[in-house]
Amino acid sequence: MAQRLAAEMFGTFWLVFGGCGSAVFAATVQSDDGVLLGIGFLGVALAFGLTVLTGVYAFGTVSGGHFNPAVTLGAAIARRVEWKALPGYWAVQVIGGLLILVIARGREGFESTGNMAANGYGDHSPTGYSMWAVLITEVVLTAVFLFVILGATEDRAPKGFAGLAIGLTLTLIHLISIPISNTSVNPARSTGVAFFNGDGAPGQLWLFWVAPLAGAAIAGVVYPLLFGTRERLAERPVREEALDIGQRRSPRPD
């Protein structure tokens, strides 16, 4: 368990540092002659996707590669991880998300208030979306994210491609919702920057816990109901196919 928790903490740090860091350090950068060199929304979306993709391949075999309290909750409900692991996972995920400010303050004149890629709604949404619009968006996108994770990590899924599917899904999620909420779908990511950002973000943080956890819980309940349990998906078709093949190959009596 100690190794699993260390993997979750480092993986969450990598997710927040790579994703939020790209937004803080690289989203809007201008050269001395005024040329825009920043990576913009597309670059930030790719950064989030790449961090989770690389993190899953690096640490997934140790801890499952959650890096997100919502993913851990959905996995526990779907019986992919034991419930007793949830408190420890949540604790180290939040801790791992708190380390970005150390780097940001290394630039002279940097002001963290309002500049830490915090999530928000209303006046704190990048383009002014309401609380209900942000709430619905975060619930739906987190549920979709968990559906992909649960499907990509099934025993029947092609081996070795889960990280790719998960990373690309998170990229698409950010392309959709950066203008709406600055994209959370991850309470640890939101917590890691909210209090450093200030400017109303701490007061709105509740939504970016409630909505992702609700979306993850929906997926954790619905996925097994729609597609069966892990054992039914992974074992029953294989057993039945083996029986069919065995019957076809058995010599017929004269």
Side-chain angles (χ1 to χ4, degrees):
M1 180 58 73
Q3 292 177 342
R4 292 167 66 185
L5 295 179
E8 282 297 305
M9 183 170 69
F10 191 85
T12 307
F13 160 73
W14 178 230
L15 174 68
V16 175
F17 182 59
C20 294
S22 69
V24 173
F25 310 136
T28 55
V29 178
Q30 286 187 336
S31 66
D32 293 338
D33 56 359
V35 177
L36 183 63
L37 303 176
I39 61 175
F41 282 0
L42 176 60
V44 173
L46 286 171
F48 271 101
L50 290 171
T51 55
V52 77
L53 186 155
T54 53
V56 166
Y57 284 123
F59 307 111
T61 55
V62 180
S63 66
H66 296 181
F67 320 140
N68 182 340
V71 172
T72 304
L73 177 64
I77 292 173
R79 299 183 180 180
R80 301 291 185 86
V81 67
E82 67 274 31
W83 279 100
K84 66 180 181 181
L86 189 142
Y89 270 45
W90 279 16
V92 297
Q93 287 160 354
V94 170
I95 292 170
L98 294 174
L99 302 177
I100 187 173
L101 187 64
V102 176
I103 305 296
R105 284 183 171 171
R107 190 185 77 187
E108 185 178 353
F110 177 80
E111 175 58 53
S112 61
T113 302
N115 295 307
M116 292 296 292
N119 303 115
Y121 56 84
D123 292 339
H124 303 291
S125 161
T127 51
Y129 280 84
S130 69
M131 181 188 73
W132 288 109
V134 170
L135 180 68
I136 293 169
T137 300
E138 289 287 329
V139 169
V140 170
L141 291 181
T142 308
V144 170
F145 191 37
L146 263 293
F147 267 100
V148 172
I149 291 172
L150 294 173
T153 56
E154 273 286 358
D155 288 343
R156 281 201 316 180
K159 303 304 178 187
F161 291 96
L164 186 61
I166 294 166
L168 289 175
T169 301
L170 190 61
T171 299
L172 177 58
I173 285 171
H174 279 78
L175 290 174
I176 295 169
S177 59
I178 286 177
I180 300 173
S181 64
N182 234 2
T183 309
S184 173
V185 301
N186 184 340
R189 168 262 187 272
S190 299
T191 303
V193 298
F195 295 97
F196 301 139
N197 185 89
D199 192 32
Q204 296 188 352
L205 183 60
W206 66 270
L207 186 146
F208 300 101
W209 274 87
V210 170
L213 292 180
I218 291 169
V221 171
V222 172
Y223 186 93
L225 293 177
L226 289 178
F227 307 117
T229 65
R230 189 177 183 185
E231 290 74 20
R232 288 179 61 192
L233 275 174
E235 296 177 9
R236 182 175 297 177
V238 174
R239 288 199 303 268
E240 291 176 353
E241 182 180 354
L243 288 173
D244 291 341
I245 294 174
Q247 291 172 356
R248 289 198 298 268
R249 290 182 177 177
S250 298
R252 294 183 180 180
D254 293 332

